[in-house]
Amino acid sequence: MSLESPCIKVCSLDATTGLCVGCLRTIDEIAGWVELTDAERASILRALPTRRARLDPGPVDSARASAGRWMALRCSRCGVGFACGARDRETVCWCVSYPPLQPATAAESQGCLCPACLAAATR
């Protein structure tokens, strides 16, 4: 894969648009990123600047501001590093914007999934 993911580890899906407030991709684009061709990834990257205007800036600014305080974790499925925003009952993680899933394997029940693996499991 020659085009890097636009993920900035501010992972939270906007309920209105279905876009991640960090990278501005849809759940399907996040989940399928590694399988897309360079041309498909380039097309998505070109579309990202126009997507930001579709988001309400309040939740986006809040998510970005809190990202520096998130915990570094490793995905229990693929091993990639990602950030978890959960600190207490009032400050939940980005993953709560995804539908709840039953763990498919014992390994998945032992830890969290990264945004791409969680998006793939949701599909």
Side-chain angles (χ1 to χ4, degrees), residues 46-106:
R46 281 191 303 273
L48 297 182
T50 62
R51 294 178 179 183
R52 181 158 314 282
R54 294 170 36 197
L55 296 174
D56 177 2
V60 173
D61 292 343
S62 175
R64 287 175 181 264
S66 67
R69 298 185 301 267
W70 292 3
M71 294 181 296
L73 297 176
R74 290 254 169 234
C75 179
S76 63
R77 179 183 283 178
C78 73
V80 74
F82 69 99
C84 173
R87 289 193 311 259
D88 51 44
R89 287 184 173 194
E90 288 76 41
T91 310
V92 296
C93 186
W94 56 265
C95 67
V96 299
S97 62
Y98 286 81
L101 298 172
Q102 292 292 339
T105 67

Side-chain angles (χ1 to χ4, degrees), residues 1-57:
M1 178 170 61
S2 60
L3 292 175
E4 291 291 322
S5 165
C7 180
I8 61 168
K9 307 233 185 293
V10 177
C11 309
S12 182
L13 290 181
D14 177 70
T16 304
T17 64
L19 297 174
C20 172
V21 301
C23 69
L24 304 172
R25 293 178 294 167
T26 66
I27 193 169
D28 289 334
E29 291 167 344
I30 294 167
W33 189 258
V34 297
E35 298 169 359
L36 297 175
T37 66
D38 278 348
E40 291 168 324
R41 287 191 292 271
S43 176
I44 292 167
L45 291 173
R46 281 191 303 273
L48 297 182
T50 62
R51 294 178 179 183
R52 181 158 314 282
R54 294 170 36 197
L55 296 174
D56 177 2

